[in-house]
Amino acid sequence: MALRPVVVTGLGIICAAGRDPAEFWQRLTTGQGGLTPVEDEAFAVFTARHAGQVPDEWIADQLPGSDADLDRTARLALVAARQAVGMAGLTAAEAGAERFGIILGKCQATPDAAGRYQPMHRTQDVVAERLGLRGPRILVSTACAAGGNAVGLAKDKILTGEADAVLAGGVDPLLFGTYAGFAGLQALSTGPCRPYSHSDGLNLGEGAAFLLLEPLDLALARGAVPLAEVAGYGLSADAYHATAPDPTGRGGASAVRRALADAGLTPGDVQYVSGHGTGTPANDAMEAKVMRLVFGERAGQVPTSSIKSFVGHTLGAAGAVEAVASVLALRHATAPPTIGFDEDGQGRAGDLDFVPNVARPMPIGTVVSNNYAFGGNNVSLVLTTPGEPRPYEELPRRDAVITGLGPVTGAGTGVAELTEAVLAGRHGAGRGPSLEGRTFAPRSLWRHMNHLSRLAIAASRLAWEDSGLKLPRKDLDDVALIFATGAGSAESTGGFDESIAVNPNKPAVLSFSNVVLNATGGAVCQTLGLRGPTTTICNGGASASIALDCALELIRSGKAEVVLVVAADETTGTAALDTEDLPVPSPYDSGSAGAVRGSAAVAFVVESAEHCAARDGRPYAKVLGTGHANGDAAPHTDADADAVARSIARAFAVASGPTTAATSAAASGAVAGLVVGAADGTAGDGAEAAAVLAGASGARLTASTALAGDCQAASGALNIALAALAVRDGVAPALTGLAAPRAGDLAAYVTKPGLDGPVDRAMALTAAPGSVRGAVLLGAQ
């Protein structure tokens, strides 16, 4: 099936090897590296002090004074984003703001201008606000694979018809804490790194890069010049270790093979590989294995090089930086070199061609760009010389169903316990889930895991068991995992920060390995043996519905038949306590004292309807439609409330199929039964309720925060799980603390436990206030 060609029409980059694409390429092809000693006095405590640093003046020279108040991460991202938009010659106004999206890869939680950690998605929100982008918005955090991952997800958004243009890229700054962590792992080289030859460690770097993607037909229609085609991409999980790559190369090879299959190509079509090439012994040896596994006897004839020898390891930006280099390699028919290469010391990889030290002009029509990450995430992109316009087919619609639920909350663990709590009118807000006396992984793994990973693994096992899936081990290689989180492990982040404050030369390395937000998803894959497509979504409370979108796209494109979606977040201060003195949450109530925090993990199994039917599975509900919309930067504003209404309307439009705006609007008033809202007891509840009651006549409204408190991404997943329970079993939590609704009257809310029976359709809302609002419509199968 020939799908709509997606091409790159704009590039933007700022890194240690250049302040724009032209300078970047000139320095790559002339061997001018950007790795220099770090002069900051704070870094004097480290022996290894080389890094790829971006001069402050390079940033300042490209930004107007109005951007001076932004944090460094946002400023780096804005520079690259504006370059990509400028090269493409396409603004949000010209493309249609609602059709212009942004997908950003990021590895680290970064500080704002005042030095405080900000939400992972904040950088993306700033870029979208400054450029007027109102289309799909996703923050992907698969550590060092995130930038390439973002490009693949951007292609999906165009193929599904959700966007006509997407900025896809990555950003990360050079942070003292991250430097201390890598130094503690003894992973840093004392001088400029020399990947593939003298693999004694890596150098960290910083920067940002973006590629502007759009359909080939639209690009040509407006007179744009396609620079490359994003022909395919592949994701995989190592399911091996928190920080070390699988030494067999199996996971990396799987990502390349999936990318080539997605592109309709074979290994024989590849002329050049842009390698991950960090310069560490484990990575470089693993990549050599990948080359031999994928290319066989031809491995030594396929040049591969690492531009980290120029810029260092830019973490979440790395995949995007290397994708920009790959596009330029195609355009200029030149393979960039691996500089600093010791041609006399190739040792174990002497049979492979690493383009040593000098750029090589050569015919290049197809490039594979590879990235690997902590947590075992792998991504491969296939970029090709753009072809002529050609006939294509739309990505077919495929029905998907939810077949297993795994709630782990303060109110109950597992479907039976949670249902019992709902029907008894009990809640667990302010109390963390209790797993005492229960082990959901081999003890050798379980005792070393942080709390969040334990919660997520418990939820995943419960969902898998609830689904009744019994797959042979070989089939687990194709089961996908999408992890959703707002902030990752508070325990590991806090422990690591405390350790470097005491002594940066003795960081808590176990905590550091779990600071990356995809670490928990990696632990789930390792425990359950899942090696299929894997990614991590970090859009605050909207993460779970966006993760479900990604799952549906994998199923729709035929890349997976079974996807496990798991969301987990924890709040410091919650504990597994058995007490009756818990605060009563009051979502939607005008007298609410505010949000009651909670910790939870919630997993659900999503299958193609065909796969479920073939095994005689019993689904909870069919996924009828999903919708997302962007709100104002300031939460609880009229624009944010409007985003609620737009997300609901979009979910109904998807459920209705191709339809007019008028019928979509009419359909949005026909929701049956129940809406599980994202209210948390704060000022935005009234606007959300008003939007729901105006656009979903006859629906009754409740919220999972009344049951488990505000658990960030896990609350969105719990909303989806409760909507599924309402469709199949007629179960819904009561708003026991509701006395004076902020909108409507009490009759519009669920105020007594349970429902009169199963509902035909139920909707779950998710929210990252001030950023993204989501809606998921479920129906009876």
Side-chain angles (χ1 to χ4, degrees):
M1 178 173 60
L3 297 175
R4 194 178 195 183
V6 176
V7 295
V8 178
T9 56
L11 302 173
I13 190 166
I14 182 167
C15 63
R19 71 198 82 186
D20 56 45
E23 183 178 19
F24 174 63
W25 184 246
Q26 188 271 334
R27 292 184 63 162
L28 288 186
T29 52
T30 56
Q32 299 179 59
L35 300 174
T36 57
V38 181
E39 301 297 336
D40 190 321
E41 291 183 3
F43 288 75
V45 297
F46 305 118
T47 302
R49 294 186 58 195
H50 274 72
Q53 304 161 88
V54 176
D56 291 342
E57 58 268 24
W58 285 10
I59 306 172
D61 289 347
Q62 299 188 64
L63 292 178
S66 59
D67 295 328
D69 60 330
L70 297 176
D71 63 272
R72 183 178 178 82
T73 312
R75 299 176 80 213
L76 284 166
L78 262 177
V79 168
R82 284 181 170 142
Q83 289 175 6
V85 168
M87 181 184 290
L90 182 67
T91 66
E94 292 163 335
E98 299 287 337
R99 304 286 300 166
F100 202 146
I102 178 170
I103 302 181
L104 180 65
K106 200 175 166 202
C107 177
Q108 311 168 96
T110 52
D112 61 18
R116 298 181 298 264
Y117 282 133
Q118 55 189 334
M120 284 290 287
H121 58 81
R122 180 56 188 152
T123 303
Q124 174 193 58
D125 294 338
V126 169
V127 175
E129 291 155 15
R130 298 295 168 111
L131 299 185
L133 311 182
R134 308 289 291 176
R137 192 181 298 185
I138 302 176
L139 193 289
V140 58
S141 190
T142 45
C144 309
N149 198 338
V151 176
L153 297 183
K155 180 187 178 186
D156 285 345
K157 287 300 174 191
I158 292 172
L159 291 181
T160 59
E162 291 183 59
D164 293 328
V166 181
L167 265 178
V171 63
D172 262 317
L174 187 65
L175 296 181
F176 179 83
T178 305
Y179 206 99
F182 276 97
L185 290 173
Q186 299 182 333
L188 298 178
S189 175
T190 55
C193 65
R194 292 183 282 173
Y196 304 135
S197 65
H198 195 74
S199 303
D200 66 344
L202 59 82
N203 302 127
L204 288 174
E206 63 178 350
F210 278 100
L211 299 84
L212 197 152
L213 275 60
E214 55 183 311
L216 174 63
D217 53 303
L218 294 187
L220 294 176
R222 66 179 186 84
V225 177
L227 307 176
E229 181 175 337
V230 183
Y233 81 101
L235 304 173
S236 72
D238 274 352
Y240 175 73
H241 189 271
T243 58
D246 183 342
T248 68
R250 175 172 55 179
S254 176
V256 177
R257 288 167 176 154
R258 286 176 178 150
L260 289 171
D262 189 36
L265 299 173
T266 70
D269 296 311
V270 179
Q271 285 84 40
Y272 167 65
V273 172
S274 174
H276 192 58
T278 61
T280 62
N283 177 87
D284 292 0
M286 179 273 292
E287 281 203 80
K289 293 279 185 65
V290 171
M291 291 293 292
R292 296 186 184 106
L293 286 171
V294 172
F295 296 104
E297 294 181 356
R298 187 172 169 261
Q301 302 166 33
V302 183
T304 182
S305 60
S306 169
I307 66 166
K308 289 185 179 68
S309 56
F310 289 84
V311 302
H313 197 338
T314 54
L315 304 177
V321 168
E322 289 152 28
V324 168
S326 298
V327 171
L328 292 170
L330 279 169
R331 294 289 293 169
H332 297 282
T334 300
T338 306
I339 58 172
F341 193 89
D342 180 2
E343 297 189 56
D344 295 325
Q346 296 182 43
R348 62 181 179 276
D351 59 314
L352 300 179
D353 179 0
F354 292 111
V355 195
N357 299 316
V358 179
R360 184 182 303 167
M362 54 180 285
I364 303 178
T366 300
V367 175
V368 171
S369 183
N370 295 327
N371 291 102
Y372 314 109
F374 278 13
N377 285 88
N378 309 304
V379 61
S380 294
L381 298 175
V382 176
L383 301 163
T384 60
T385 301
E388 296 298 318
R390 54 190 186 269
Y392 63 86
E393 300 173 63
E394 298 291 345
L395 197 64
R397 291 176 65 96
R398 294 188 73 200
D399 290 340
V401 292
I402 293 175
T403 58
L405 302 177
V408 178
T409 76
T413 293
V415 174
E417 282 187 18
L418 188 72
T419 299
E420 181 185 1
V422 168
L423 296 179
R426 296 195 308 269
H427 77 89
R431 177 173 60 200
S434 174
L435 298 178
E436 188 173 351
R438 306 175 74 175
T439 301
F440 291 87
R443 292 189 180 278
S444 58
L445 291 174
W446 188 255
R447 66 173 177 264
H448 294 299
M449 287 177 182
N450 61 26
H451 185 57
L452 193 70
S453 292
R454 290 181 177 182
L455 294 182
I457 288 167
S460 299
R461 282 209 181 278
L462 290 167
W464 192 263
E465 292 167 4
D466 187 49
S467 72
L469 276 164
K470 291 180 173 59
L471 299 180
R473 180 167 293 277
K474 65 180 181 62
D475 288 353
L476 295 180
D477 285 353
D478 296 318
V479 173
L481 182 285
I482 313 293
F483 178 55
T485 187
S489 172
E491 173 192 351
S492 292
T493 300
F496 176 70
D497 287 348
E498 289 174 12
S499 73
I500 62 172
V502 173
N503 186 348
N505 274 310
K506 291 187 177 180
V509 292
L510 182 60
S511 292
F512 178 64
S513 67
N514 286 290
V515 165
V516 290
L517 281 80
N518 62 311
T520 299
V524 173
C525 288
Q526 185 178 352
T527 304
L528 273 65
L530 308 182
R531 294 189 173 87
T534 305
T535 193
T536 293
I537 305 300
C538 300
N539 283 82
S543 301
S545 57
I546 295 174
L548 175 58
D549 254 358
C550 293
L552 297 174
E553 287 160 3
L554 287 172
I555 290 171
R556 189 172 173 185
S557 62
K559 293 178 180 178
E561 294 297 314
V562 179
V563 186
L564 178 63
V565 177
V566 56
D569 270 305
E570 61 184 343
T571 302
T572 55
T574 60
L577 301 175
D578 185 13
T579 175
E580 298 301 321
D581 296 327
L582 296 173
V584 177
S586 303
Y588 300 119
D589 192 79
S590 58
S592 171
V596 177
R597 303 301 176 190
S599 298
V602 179
F604 48 91
V605 175
V606 187
E607 291 182 65
S608 70
E610 300 99 316
H611 188 276
C612 179
R615 68 177 184 87
D616 293 325
R618 184 186 176 221
Y620 282 91
K622 178 181 176 181
V623 184
L624 300 178
T626 62
H628 291 89
N630 304 317
D632 194 270
H636 314 317
T637 63
D638 289 343
D640 202 39
D642 178 62
V644 178
R646 286 185 287 121
S647 68
I648 292 173
R650 286 175 180 173
F652 274 104
V654 172
S656 302
T659 184
T660 65
T663 57
S664 293
S668 69
V671 64
L674 185 73
V675 174
V676 187
D680 61 1
T682 57
D685 291 3
E688 178 185 276
V692 170
L693 298 176
S697 58
R700 295 176 69 197
L701 189 56
T702 189
S704 71
T705 53
L707 185 64
D710 179 10
C711 307
Q712 299 187 72
S715 285
L718 186 54
N719 287 357
I720 295 169
L722 289 170
L725 277 169
V727 169
R728 197 180 81 173
D729 300 336
V731 173
L735 302 175
T736 56
L738 183 62
R742 293 179 185 266
D745 54 35
L746 281 172
Y749 298 84
V750 179
T751 55
K752 294 181 180 179
L755 298 170
D756 294 333
V759 296
D760 291 332
R761 294 197 292 183
M763 177 167 281
L765 304 183
T766 67
S771 179
V772 178
R773 293 277 184 167
V776 175
L777 183 63
L778 303 179
Q781 173 65 8

